[in-house]
Amino acid sequence: MVRLRRILGGVAAALTVAAMGAVVQTSPAAAADGPQRVVGGTRATQGEFPFMVRLSMGCGGALYSPTIVLTAAHCVNGTGTNTSITATLGVVDLNSSSRITRRSNYVYRAPGYNGNGKDWALIRLSSPVTGLATLPIATTSAYDTGTFTIAGWGAAREGGAQQRYLLKATVPFVSDATCNSSSMYNGEIIPTDEICAGYTQGGVDTCQGDSGGPMFRRDANNAWIQVGIVSWGDGCARPNKPGVYSQVSYFSSAIQSAASSLGG
Ligand code: ARG
């Protein structure tokens, strides 16, 4: 059932307009804030997460290097030349006249991706983006715990619309054992490939259209480091259904090699 939901989530994202981590929360306090604010998340400020990327198929991404965006495998169709994707960068407001856009020229999807784990891909941009900080990836499991930041332009509630303004939230790590327990995903999590995050009571989460975007935290030098890629979940922000993210540290060598082979 969850695997099916994963596939449906990807299709939903492709049919909608937005990309990165919309944050969902359903607490009464947040709802009382009204339409100016996405339920559950709050607006990111301009420049707060300079590495955030919105992709035209309705996904998010993170700027890995001046020419490469790290996203989810389920956001792309396969490996090869691809000039059909537009990346929007450098703004929290997707309609801002200050936005930077780049066309893709190549897509690399994780080898062996079949909808079950391995949910990462690289998109090469037609020309480098300068002036925006990139987001380094975690290369060890040292940061695969703690409190994570999620951000994106995806739905602000399950079934909701894509967002014009980037939203953000924080979610706590959930262990593989807890995430795979019978009250949660009952064995559907691939412990090596995937990392869960969210509240047992629900209320804060990524959602459709956030796929491919980063989950990140501060490293020992207080710099942002990417630990996850938005992948899937059962609905959004439901109790006992944390968000499921690709575990970047596990794929870091493969990501680095692939990025080098793409020239950046
Ligand atoms: N697969 C979704 C997408 O395409 C992301 C779902 C994330 N869901 C969640 N509950 N965290 O955008």
Side-chain angles (χ1 to χ4, degrees):
M1 187 52 163
V2 173
R3 296 301 174 198
L4 175 59
R5 287 177 185 280
R6 178 194 303 229
I7 293 164
L8 292 172
V11 172
L15 293 175
T16 52
V17 178
M20 291 201 100
V23 172
V24 173
Q25 182 173 10
T26 53
S27 74
D33 288 339
Q36 292 305 104
R37 171 168 297 175
V38 172
V39 180
T42 58
R43 282 207 196 161
T45 60
Q46 178 59 37
E48 187 175 6
F49 307 121
F51 42 78
M52 292 294 296
V53 182
R54 176 68 169 175
L55 297 169
S56 55
M57 84 294 277
C59 277
L63 194 63
Y64 172 85
S65 79
T67 52
I68 293 187
V69 175
L70 177 59
T71 187
H74 81 261
C75 290
V76 301
N77 293 321
T79 295
T81 299
N82 184 326
T83 58
S84 72
I85 302 166
T86 300
T88 301
L89 308 95
V91 290
V92 293
D93 174 5
L94 293 175
N95 293 348
S96 168
S97 57
S98 322
R99 67 181 183 255
I100 298 167
T101 60
R102 287 290 186 280
R103 205 76 174 190
S104 63
N105 66 15
Y106 194 86
V107 170
Y108 181 96
R109 191 175 67 178
Y113 172 72
N114 66 0
N116 199 6
K118 302 183 180 66
D119 197 7
W120 65 271
L122 300 176
I123 295 173
R124 189 173 64 197
L125 306 176
S126 53
S127 65
V129 175
T130 55
L132 290 179
T134 57
L135 181 60
I137 60 170
T139 56
T140 76
S141 57
Y143 300 110
D144 293 352
T145 188
T147 300
F148 305 124
T149 298
I150 50 178
W153 290 272
R157 59 183 170 80
E158 192 175 324
Q162 299 292 297
Q163 301 295 303
R164 170 176 172 176
Y165 297 96
L166 181 64
L167 297 178
K168 64 172 181 176
T170 57
V171 281
F173 169 75
V174 175
S175 73
D176 288 330
T178 298
C179 203
N180 255 338
S181 67
S182 57
S183 62
M184 291 192 174
Y185 287 113
N186 196 26
E188 295 198 68
I189 304 302
I190 305 168
T192 51
D193 282 37
E194 296 175 325
I195 181 169
C196 300
Y199 294 95
T200 305
Q201 70 270 29
V204 184
D205 198 4
T206 46
C207 198
Q208 268 57 42
D210 291 325
S211 278
M215 178 170 78
F216 47 98
R217 54 160 287 171
R218 299 284 189 178
D219 70 8
N221 296 317
N222 205 37
W224 292 120
I225 191 165
Q226 182 171 1
V227 301
I229 300 169
V230 180
S231 183
W232 63 281
D234 187 352
C236 303
R238 297 183 185 181
N240 288 303
K241 300 296 176 184
V244 186
Y245 300 79
S246 299
Q247 191 156 347
V248 166
S249 63
Y250 178 68
F251 297 111
S252 60
S253 295
I255 292 169
Q256 289 172 328
S257 301
S260 301
S261 75
L262 265 51

